[in-house]
C-alpha cells in the first residue's frame, strides 16, 4: 500500500509546476513579440516578418508546426511513461531525463545565430520543435504523476489546486518579462540583450524548481500504481471513445484556442489599441493572476457544492464578457489604463476556475473509467487531454498572428478587434458543449462524491 505524500512533499511536487510554467513562458507567449515586435520596440529583423505562404507568417508556421508536433507526442509520451521501467520510476525517470534540455531550449530560440533570414528560420524551427519535445517529456508524466500521488478524489483536487497556484506564480513571474527587459535597458543593456538575458534567467530558475520533485519524491514509496492492459494505440483510441472525456476535450479545445489567441495578442491590445507602453501588459497580467488567487478557495467550495460542470460553465460566461470588452478597447469613454485593468479583473475569476477544475475533472473521468473497465490508465487520459489542449494552442498559433495583421503586413487595430471577437465566440461555443457533459453519471460511478453532494 503506497504511503500518502506529506504536505511538504506535495509542495515540492507543485513547485515543479512553477518551474515548467516559467520555463515555457517565453516561447509560449513572447515568440511573436521577439520576431514581430510592435512599433517602438527596437529589435533587429532576424526573419521575414510579413506573410510568406497562404497569408501565414514564419512565426505562425513555427508555432503551428511545433505545437502540432507537441500535441501528437503527448499521448505517445504518456503511453511510454505508463510502460516505463526506469529505475527512478516511470514518471520520475522521465522528469529527470528531460529537465536539463527543456531548460536550455527555453531560451536558445531567442538567440538567432546569423544575419541570414534563411539560417535563422531553420534555427527557429529546429530549436522550438526540440523545446516542445522535451517539454512534453517533462509535463505529460508530471500530470500523470498527480493522479497516482493522489489516493482519493479529494486529495487529487487538493493537488490540482496546489499546482494551479504554482503554475499561476510561474506565469505571473513570466509576464514580467517586458518589465524586466525595461529594467535591464535602463541599466545600459541593448533591447535585444536585455530580453535575451531575461529568457536565460527564466530557464535557470525554472530548471532549479523542476528538479525539486525529482529530488524529493520517491515514486515507489508514494504512488498508487496500476497496470495498463492495452497496447499504446489501443489505449489512446479507447480514451477518446469514453463519451464523458470526448465532450470534455472538445470544450477544452475551444477554450485553449480562444485563450491562446488573447494571450498572444495582449501586448498588442495594450500598445496598439490603448496606446500604452509595453510594460502595462506586464502590469495587467500581474493583476489578473494575483486576483485569481483570491478565487481559489471559493472555486473549491462552489465546485463541491454545485459541481465542477456548473462552475466551469460560469467561467465560460465571464470570459466571453471579458473578450467582448477587449474588442472595444480604445473606443470607450474612459482612461486607457482603466480599460486595461478591467480586462485583467474580469479574467481573474475564470482563470481560477480553469486553472483548478479541468485536471480534477480528468482525474474523475479516468477513475470512473478504471472502475467501469478495470483498466486504470490515468497517464493516457492526461496525455490525450493535453493533446487536445495543445492542438488548440497550435491552431491559435497558426491563425491569430495572421489575424493580427489582417489586410496589411503590420499588426493593426482591425485585426486585433476581430481576434477578440473570435475568442468571445469560442467561449460561447465551449459553454454550449458543456451542456452535454453528464457529470452526474461520473459521480454515480465514483460513489463517494455522489454521497458527498447529496449531503
Amino acid at each position: 500500500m503506497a504511503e500518502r505524500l506529506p504536505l511538504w512533499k506535495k509542495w515540492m511536487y507543485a513547485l515543479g509546476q512553477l518551474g515548467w510554467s516559467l520555463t515555457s513562458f517565453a516561447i509560449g507567449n513572447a515568440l511573436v513579440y521577439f520576431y514581430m515586435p510592435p512599433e517602438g520596440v527596437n529589435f533587429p529583423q532576424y526573419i521575414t516578418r510579413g506573410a510568406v505562404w497562404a497569408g501565414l507568417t514564419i512565426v505562425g508556421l513555427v508555432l503551428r508546426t511545433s505545437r502540432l508536433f507537441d500535441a501528437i507526442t503527448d499521448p505517445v509520451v504518456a503511453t511510454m511513461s505508463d510502460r516505463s521501467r526506469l529505475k527512478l520510476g516511470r514518471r520520475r525517470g522521465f522528469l529527470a531525463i528531460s529537465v536539463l534540455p527543456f531548460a536550455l531550449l527555453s531560451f536558445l530560440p531567442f538567440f538567432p545565430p546569423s544575419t541570414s533570414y534563411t539560417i535563422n528560420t531553420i534555427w527557429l524551427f529546429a530549436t522550438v520543435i526540440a523545446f516542445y519535445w522535451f517539454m512534453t517529456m517533462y509535463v505529460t508524466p508530471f500530470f500523470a504523476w498527480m493522479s497516482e500521488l493522489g489516493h482519493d478524489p479529494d486529495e487529487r483536487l487538493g493537488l490540482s489546486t496546489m499546482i494551479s497556484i504554482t503554475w499561476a506564480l510561474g506565469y505571473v513571474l513570466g509576464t514580467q518579462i517586458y518589465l524586466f527587459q525595461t529594467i535591464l535597458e535602463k541599466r545600459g543593456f541593448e533591447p535585444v540583450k536585455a530580453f535575451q538575458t531575461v529568457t536565460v534567467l527564466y530557464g535557470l530558475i525554472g530548471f532549479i524548481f523542476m528538479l525539486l520533485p525529482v529530488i524529493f519524491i520517491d515514486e515507489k514509496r508514494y504512488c498508487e500504481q496500476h497496470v495498463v492492459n492495452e497496447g499504446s494505440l489501443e489505449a489512446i483510441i479507447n480514451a477518446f471513445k469514453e463519451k464523458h472525456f470526448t465532450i470534455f476535450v472538445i470544450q477544452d479545445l475551444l477554450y485553449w484556442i480562444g485563450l491562446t489567441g488573447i494571450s498572444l495578442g495582449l501586448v498588442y491590445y495594450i500598445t496598439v489599441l490603448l496606446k500604452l507602453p509595453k510594460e502595462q501588459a506586464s502590469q495587467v497580467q500581474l493583476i489578473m493572476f494575483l486576483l485569481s488567487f483570491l478565487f481559489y478557495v471559493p472555486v473549491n467550495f462552489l465546485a463541491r457544492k454545485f459541481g465542477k460542470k456548473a462552475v466551469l460553465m460560469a467561467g465560460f460566461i465571464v470570459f466571453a464578457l471579458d473578450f467582448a470588452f477587449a474588442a472595444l478597447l480604445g473606443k470607450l469613454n474612459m482612461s486607457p489604463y482603466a480599460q486595461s485593468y478591467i480586462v485583467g479583473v474580469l479574467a481573474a475569476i475564470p482563470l481560477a476556475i480553469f486553472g483548478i477544475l479541468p485536471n480534477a475533472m480528468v482525474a474523475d473521468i479516468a477513475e470512473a473509467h478504471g472502475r467501469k473497465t478495470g483498466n486504470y490508465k490515468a497517464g493516457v487520459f492526461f496525455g490525450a487531454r493535453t493533446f487536445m489542449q495543445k492542438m488548440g494552442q497550435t491552431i491559435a498559433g497558426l491563425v491569430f498572428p495572421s489575424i493580427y495583421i489582417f489586410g496589411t503586413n503590420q499588426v493593426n487595430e482591425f485585426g486585433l478587434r476581430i481576434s477578440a471577437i473570435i475568442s468571445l465566440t469560442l467561449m460561447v461555443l465551449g459553454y454550449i458543449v458543456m451542456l452535454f457533459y453528464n457529470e452526474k453519471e461520473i459521480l454515480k460511478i465514483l460513489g463517494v462524491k455522489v454521497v458527498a453532494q447529496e449531503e
Side-chain angles (χ1 to χ4, degrees):
M1 185 69 179
E3 299 179 31
R4 288 189 177 269
L5 201 62
L7 181 60
W8 74 272
K9 290 196 175 185
K10 290 180 179 179
W11 281 112
M12 291 299 102
Y13 170 72
L15 287 173
Q17 174 100 352
L18 188 157
W20 78 253
S21 173
L22 179 62
T23 302
S24 63
F25 180 87
I27 290 180
N29 296 275
L31 203 66
V32 175
Y33 170 82
F34 184 77
Y35 283 100
M36 296 173 58
E39 185 177 353
V41 177
N42 297 317
F43 288 170
Q45 183 169 345
Y46 296 108
I47 61 173
T48 301
R49 290 176 177 172
V52 294
W53 178 75
L56 302 176
T57 64
I58 287 176
V59 175
L61 288 168
V62 168
L63 290 172
R64 173 187 181 272
T65 303
S66 60
R67 293 307 270 177
L68 179 60
F69 172 80
D70 185 28
I72 293 170
T73 56
D74 261 319
V76 174
V77 170
T79 57
M80 289 170 59
S81 178
D82 279 343
R83 299 173 180 279
S84 169
R85 297 183 181 275
L86 294 170
K87 290 184 179 180
L88 284 177
R90 58 182 184 168
R91 314 301 185 198
R92 188 185 182 197
F94 268 67
L95 269 59
I97 291 170
S98 60
V99 61
L100 180 59
F102 180 16
L104 290 174
L105 286 160
S106 70
F107 57 81
L108 287 179
F110 297 101
F111 288 81
S114 174
T115 57
S116 166
Y117 290 179
T118 301
I119 292 175
N120 289 338
T121 298
I122 294 171
W123 171 264
L124 186 59
F125 270 97
T127 54
V128 174
I129 289 172
F131 165 83
Y132 279 115
W133 168 252
F134 286 105
M135 178 179 171
T136 299
M137 284 188 64
Y138 188 94
V139 173
T140 299
F142 180 89
F143 279 127
W145 211 6
M146 183 193 76
S147 183
E148 295 161 357
L149 292 171
H151 297 173
D152 57 55
D154 284 342
E155 191 170 23
R156 288 192 290 269
L157 180 59
L159 284 171
S160 182
T161 302
M162 292 168 74
I163 66 174
S164 297
I165 293 171
T166 53
W167 176 86
L169 288 172
Y171 192 87
V172 166
L173 182 57
T175 61
Q176 302 312 294
I177 191 168
Y178 312 114
L179 176 62
F180 294 145
Q181 175 193 343
T182 300
I183 291 173
L184 291 176
E185 287 175 6
K186 290 180 178 179
R187 292 180 176 272
F189 282 69
E190 293 294 324
V192 170
K193 292 300 180 186
F195 185 85
Q196 290 173 330
T197 299
V198 178
T199 64
V200 172
L201 290 174
Y202 279 8
L204 176 61
I205 296 169
F207 172 73
I208 294 170
F209 279 111
M210 287 190 292
L211 274 180
L212 295 179
V214 178
I215 295 171
F216 290 107
I217 300 178
D218 183 343
E219 184 171 329
K220 296 179 181 179
R221 180 178 176 184
Y222 294 110
C223 286
E224 291 284 355
Q225 301 183 34
H226 298 286
V227 176
V228 177
N229 297 313
E230 299 171 319
S232 298
L233 182 59
E234 181 186 8
I236 295 169
I237 292 173
N238 286 340
F240 281 103
K241 285 183 177 179
E242 173 61 56
K243 62 180 180 179
H244 308 297
F245 185 66
T246 300
I247 294 170
F248 173 86
V249 295
I250 290 173
Q251 64 81 30
D252 209 36
L253 174 69
L254 295 168
Y255 166 75
W256 280 105
I257 295 173
L259 182 67
T260 304
I262 289 290
S263 297
L264 290 172
L266 183 58
V267 68
Y268 300 114
Y269 295 143
I270 298 299
T271 59
V272 176
L273 297 184
L274 294 177
K275 314 298 183 185
L276 296 175
K278 66 181 183 300
E279 294 81 15
Q280 183 64 14
S282 294
Q283 293 297 315
V284 171
Q285 289 177 311
L286 178 62
I287 289 172
M288 187 187 306
F289 283 95
L290 289 179
L291 280 178
S292 73
F293 290 149
L294 298 178
F295 298 102
Y296 273 44
V297 172
V299 166
N300 271 269
F301 172 78
L302 292 172
R304 294 174 193 275
K305 184 172 179 62
F306 299 107
K308 300 180 184 70
K309 172 183 176 178
V311 178
L312 200 74
M313 292 176 73
F316 275 119
I317 293 173
V318 179
F319 252 147
L321 292 173
D322 194 22
F323 297 156
F325 185 83
L328 298 174
L329 288 174
K331 297 291 187 181
L332 302 171
N333 187 24
M334 66 174 70
S335 162
Y337 283 95
Q339 293 179 56
S340 71
Y341 291 133
I342 289 173
V343 170
V345 171
L346 282 176
I349 297 174
L351 282 174
I353 292 171
F354 286 97
I356 294 172
L357 297 186
N359 283 325
M361 292 172 76
V362 174
D364 288 346
I365 294 169
E367 178 69 15
H369 179 84
R371 292 191 183 188
K372 284 194 304 181
T373 65
N375 191 28
Y376 291 82
K377 52 181 184 182
V380 170
F381 276 100
F382 275 97
R385 185 256 168 154
T386 52
F387 166 80
M388 294 299 287
Q389 171 187 329
K390 291 172 182 177
M391 282 296 293
Q393 293 169 328
T394 299
I395 294 169
L398 170 66
V399 173
F400 277 92
S402 298
I403 294 172
Y404 300 153
I405 64 171
F406 189 83
T408 70
N409 285 327
Q410 297 291 330
V411 175
N412 62 78
E413 181 177 324
F414 180 75
L416 292 171
R417 297 191 193 283
I418 292 297
S419 71
I421 293 171
I422 290 173
S423 289
L424 182 162
T425 303
L426 291 167
M427 295 301 136
V428 173
L429 291 174
Y431 176 91
I432 294 171
V433 170
M434 279 302 295
L435 291 171
F436 300 94
Y437 181 74
N438 193 342
E439 185 176 49
K440 290 182 179 179
E441 184 175 332
I442 296 171
L443 298 180
K444 184 177 180 180
I445 296 171
L446 294 177
V448 174
K449 288 197 171 187
V450 173
V451 173
Q453 281 209 335
E454 289 176 350
E455 291 176 352

